[in-house]
Structures are given as C-alpha cells and as structure tokens.
Amino acid sequence: MPLYDYKCVEHGLFHDLVPMQASGECAMCPTCGALSARVIMVPPEVLDMAPEKRQAIARNEKAMHEPRQGNQHSEKNRGCCHHKRKSKLFYTAEGNKMFPSARPWMISH
C-alpha cells in the first residue's frame, strides 16, 4: 500500500497507508478523528533544482511523445550526417576493386 499525505484543518499534515483504490478518499486525522483531505506534497529536491535543469526536464517531458528530429538538412541530403558510412572501396590500376583492411579474405564481384 502506498503512503499518502493528508492535512487536518486543526493538526496539520499526517501520513497514512491507504490502498490505491481509496487514494482519492479522505482519511481520518489520528489526533482528532476529523475527515481530512489528501494533499500532494512537492518533493524537496525539485525545489532545490537548478532552473536550467528543471526547464530541460519539462521540455523533455513535453516532447516525449513526439518523434525525434535531427538537424535540418537540405532536401537532397536527408538524414543524419554523422551516420553515413564512408566507402573504403577503391580501384586498382587494373580496374579491380580493393577494400583495404576490410575483410581481405573475401572475394569481390
């Protein structure tokens, strides 16, 4: 069972273990027995966080459902520039294909 925070009008904050099905219901204050509403407390580390980090986290959460987009490229050069493979193929003077250091045991077509 999760631990929820509640606030009594007279005695302030208290915590109670409540089943998840009853998470939206009021709880009885352990001191006076009055029904008290559930409150949502902000974790202290969020308040002490640097504003830049908080803004970055908020921006990432907003964009989580959107597809990732890389840098903008021209129409003919779509895709990410640093994932393109540079071919190690070159031709000898006789016109044969040669792949230096990339599987010398394979026969070329």
Side-chain angles (χ1 to χ4, degrees):
M1 282 193 291
L3 184 68
Y4 292 109
D5 300 319
Y6 296 92
K7 186 172 183 180
C8 176
V9 177
E10 293 181 27
H11 300 101
L13 291 173
F14 66 94
H15 313 288
D16 196 10
L17 286 171
V18 179
M20 291 178 85
Q21 294 84 5
S23 63
E25 299 175 8
C26 297
M28 293 178 60
C29 175
T31 308
C32 65
L35 285 178
S36 305
R38 180 176 163 215
V39 293
I40 299 175
M41 304 294 291
V42 177
E45 66 268 4
V46 172
L47 297 175
D48 293 337
M49 190 181 301
E52 296 84 16
K53 185 175 180 181
R54 191 175 324 130
Q55 290 169 357
I57 290 172
R59 187 172 44 249
N60 287 341
E61 287 179 2
K62 285 180 185 175
M64 193 176 293
H65 68 282
E66 297 176 1
R68 297 184 83 183
Q69 296 179 353
N71 296 337
Q72 299 296 324
H73 295 285
S74 64
E75 290 296 322
K76 65 175 184 172
N77 192 13
R78 289 261 174 191
C80 189
C81 60
H82 63 274
H83 288 290
K84 292 182 181 174
R85 290 187 168 194
K86 189 174 182 181
S87 177
K88 296 183 179 181
L89 168 70
F90 69 88
Y91 293 91
T92 63
E94 294 84 32
N96 299 328
K97 290 182 186 176
M98 187 170 181
F99 297 92
S101 74
R103 301 186 185 131
W105 61 89
M106 293 184 70
I107 301 172
S108 178
H109 311 309

